[in-house]
Amino acid sequence: TPRVFSGIKPSGGLTLGNYLGAIKRWVDMQSPDMDNIYCAVDLHAITVWQDPPALKAGTREIAAGLLASGIDPENSILFNQSQVPEHAQLAWIFNCVARVGWMNRMTQFKDKAGKNAEKASLGLYAYPSLMAADILMYHATHVPVGEDQKQHVELTRDIAAKFNSDFGVDFFPQTEAVIEGPGTRVMNLRDGTKKMSKSGDSDMERINMLDDADTIAKKFKKAKTDPDGLPETVEGLAGRPEAKNLVDIYASLSDMTPEAVIAQYPGASWGTFKPALADLAVTKLAPISDEMKRLMDDPAEIDRKLARGAQKAREIATPILEKTYDIVGLLRA
Ligand code: TYM
């Protein structure tokens, strides 16, 4: 059976980018014919400084966001990474398989470490190795992610292949990144050349899943655009990253293609399209954020759900880690 694994870092709140690039697609992918495993990757979050109480709150917010969006904890496994210590154990093995040169090519490390890479944590550098462990811990076959995670999934394939070849086994699978649809690269609302992220300087550049209706409307209204409105065809979006982004967001929220969105609003002014987009976003997000808030009022219940998920995850992870240790020659007496 196909097995899906994916994760989100609990660092800062959830954004529309997380929703369209990941969560919404995970919800749509759930099926009884597949194992679905979703994780709040708290060990990844601490590769940069996190305020401890905020980290716990952020982990619960992710759980609430996934549950409110429609991840069904009866059929999918939902947990936080640190409660399954096998991830960190497998990551160590992969640290010994992956090469320093591979890590040096990771664009996300370069972006996050900035000019002063000497001051970055060693964990940030080894981040992709832990991510490979998350995925391969379950022998996952499919990893639905946004465009920005593509290079990390490719590295996961390299680690699996090198492990198999170093030890002469056919143990870890070649996992596929699943990056499909118009929502896999949601851009910053103030600068269409940068991705929307939870850590950007200004809150106006992103939509948060917990934003209220007025805030969502205001952010779309102030979103950067060029003076031309919508084109008559999608070709007219070429070289217009901000315009393309708003059309892509509309398409992704409404399960339409960008072509169909343009066909519905050919040549529309921003004064027409932006309010329509804001209404659509509020219609889709308000029920989710209401439910998130309701769930977050009962943190103990969220914690119980995460603990149960972790238990189910460990049932899969433990035998795979045991086998890995055996292959590597680590004595288990
Ligand atoms: P993170 O927490 O940055 O983001 C979680 C998911 O949301 C997607 N995403 C976006 N998609 C479209 N447009 C955007 N602006 C946008 N911003 C974020 C990300 O692509 C991701 O799918 N390294 C991962 C977490 C991780 C992981 C894993 C993912 C750890 N282990 C194993 C998959 C499998 C990360 O930092 O995601």
Side-chain angles (χ1 to χ4, degrees), residues 90-110:
L90 186 60
W92 180 258
I93 309 269
F94 288 167
N95 283 342
C96 302
V97 171
R99 305 289 95 180
V100 167
W102 299 0
M103 299 296 156
N104 287 340
R105 286 195 290 273
M106 293 294 115
T107 57
Q108 191 147 329
F109 175 75
K110 289 182 212 169

Side-chain angles (χ1 to χ4, degrees), residues 5-11 14-23 25-26 39 41 44 62 81 108 112 127 130-132 134-135 143-150 152-153 183-188 194-198:
F5 181 95
S6 204
I8 306 196
K9 283 194 305 285
S11 48
L14 291 169
T15 68
L16 185 64
N18 296 133
Y19 181 65
L20 297 178
I23 303 172
R25 299 172 53 233
W26 302 351
C39 186
V41 289
H44 276 114
I62 287 182
Q81 188 184 32
Q108 191 147 329
K112 293 217 165 155
Y127 182 115
L130 177 59
M131 181 158 158
D134 297 338
I135 295 168
V143 179
V145 282
E147 184 69 44
D148 60 334
Q149 296 301 316
K150 190 172 181 203
H152 288 156
V153 181
T184 54
R185 191 163 173 79
V186 178
M187 307 309 280
N188 180 318
K194 290 194 197 139
K195 78 168 179 180
M196 182 183 289
S197 84
K198 32 197 159 201

